[in-house]
Amino acid sequence: SAEDKEMILRQKKGMVKKSGLVELIDTPEKLDSIGGLDDLKQYLKAKSSIFHHLSDALNFGVSMPKGVFLVGMPGCGKSLCAKAAASIFEVPLLKLDMGSMMGKYVGQSEENLRKAIKIAEAAAPCILWIDEIEKAFSGVGGQSDAVVARMFGNFLYWMQEKSSPVYVIATANNAESLPPELKRKGRFDEIFCVNLPTKEERKKIFEVHINKLIGRECIEDSATFDFEKLSSVTSGFNGADIESVICQTVEDCFLND
Ligand code: ATP
């Protein structure tokens, strides 16, 4: 029942918190918190349907969803998508910080990564969000040290062989320095480029953030906003810039009230 589901989710959250290797993110973000990025939202929606009917899908012959790799400019909604995905998948969101995996003793880093993966598998179905993956794995295969290379090898092997419902969302600002083995099919199901929003997308991002103000009863409605003009004069802005314009405007209104 819905109550059981909630109880299981609470138990999983407790278990993850205790481990200290992965962080549990509680987030209210939903798909409609994202302006634009329609293809990616559609894609995540389809994957969530598979997650919701996993045994039927697997019996039908659908492969276990592995994950998605989101690459692009900072502030354009990659993290937001990972959070919204957890809401529509209705599973816990575990954030893995590759930097915190590194230990000072021989073999400790590899062991930390192995443990973190084990925790994610025990918490499955869940989403494992690996933020800024390029910080951990860029340069592997070149001058990188042996520990990172081994961790990379273990991670690739797990991604390739994984049969548990741990959906991996990796985010990166720049994928160029990442080894090609990570980007080829078989590891992630798909790679999406999340770049600066188009004019139409900026309009939608303004709408999302102005609707949030309406939700908080800061303003009554959006009738006085000229979304066409707002999106025209914000060419080159990312989602975070647009959010900041709105926050600044609210602050100015408060100070000049
Ligand atoms: P980074 O690579 O620096 O981590 P990011 O791409 O993960 O950046 P987010 O953290 O998702 O960016 O976005 C920062 C903030 O900007 C979000 O919390 C959100 O409020 C706003 N934002 C960004 N993109 C969008 C969008 N498409 N729709 C609505 N809000 C957005």
Side-chain angles (χ1 to χ4, degrees):
S1 69
E3 261 175 33
D4 295 335
K5 231 178 169 178
E6 235 171 65
M7 193 264 287
I8 292 170
L9 207 63
R10 261 203 317 276
Q11 294 287 337
K12 282 187 183 179
K13 286 179 178 176
M15 179 192 84
V16 168
K17 225 180 201 166
K18 259 194 257 163
S19 79
L21 286 171
V22 283
E23 186 190 348
L24 188 87
I25 309 280
D26 243 331
T27 171
E29 305 295 1
K30 301 257 172 349
L31 273 195
D32 57 15
S33 313
I34 307 168
L37 301 177
D38 290 340
D39 290 344
L40 177 53
K41 286 195 282 190
Q42 199 57 40
Y43 180 81
L44 291 173
K45 234 188 227 168
K47 292 289 173 192
S48 77
S49 300
I50 294 177
F51 251 67
H52 290 152
H53 307 99
L54 198 56
S55 48
D56 286 348
L58 296 178
N59 286 339
F60 188 83
V62 175
S63 309
M64 175 71 79
K66 284 178 185 289
V68 66
F69 191 5
L70 309 180
V71 192
M73 312 262 297
C76 288
K78 298 182 295 297
S79 311
L80 193 56
C81 287
K83 292 174 188 166
S87 300
I88 52 163
F89 279 53
E90 295 179 29
V91 295
L93 176 63
L94 312 185
K95 186 175 172 191
L96 179 67
D97 174 8
M98 279 294 182
S100 72
M101 295 288 108
M102 307 312 277
K104 53 184 173 187
Y105 302 112
V106 176
Q108 196 183 4
S109 310
E110 297 93 316
E111 179 62 11
N112 282 345
L113 180 61
R114 201 185 58 77
K115 273 191 195 156
I117 288 176
K118 215 169 156 196
I119 290 160
E121 294 208 314
C126 66
I127 291 184
L128 183 64
W129 170 26
I130 307 178
D131 196 20
E132 300 188 323
I133 194 169
E134 78 274 33
K135 286 206 173 144
F137 294 144
S138 59
V140 170
Q143 297 284 309
S144 68
D145 71 52
V147 173
V148 175
R150 273 200 303 275
M151 286 172 82
F152 180 66
N154 293 347
F155 178 72
L156 277 194
Y157 180 74
W158 175 67
M159 279 301 286
Q160 182 79 36
E161 299 299 319
K162 148 175 107 59
S163 57
S164 54
V166 177
Y167 193 72
V168 179
I169 301 188
T171 54
N173 289 332
N174 186 349
E176 268 170 35
S177 54
L178 283 168
E181 304 93 289
L182 186 70
K183 295 178 269 182
R184 78 154 171 77
K185 284 270 158 82
R187 269 67 201 244
F188 293 96
D189 302 318
E190 206 58 75
I191 299 181
F192 278 85
C193 285
V194 179
N195 284 322
L196 284 177
T198 60
K199 182 169 179 238
E200 210 42 49
E201 287 179 318
R202 290 196 298 277
K203 208 192 265 184
K204 288 185 184 150
I205 298 174
F206 269 110
E207 279 169 10
V208 164
H209 287 284
I210 284 168
N211 281 336
K212 278 190 184 169
L213 292 181
I214 298 173
R216 281 158 42 200
E217 297 182 359
C218 302
I219 50 175
E220 274 172 21
D221 59 52
S222 58
T224 50
F225 291 90
D226 184 345
F227 289 104
E228 190 61 35
K229 190 159 183 196
L230 284 170
S231 59
S232 294
V233 297
T234 49
S235 168
F237 282 42
N238 62 25
D241 294 331
I242 293 176
E243 184 185 22
S244 145
V245 165
I246 292 178
C247 291
Q248 189 61 52
T249 309
V250 171
E251 194 178 304
D252 290 349
C253 291
F254 174 73
L255 294 174
N256 295 321
D257 199 16

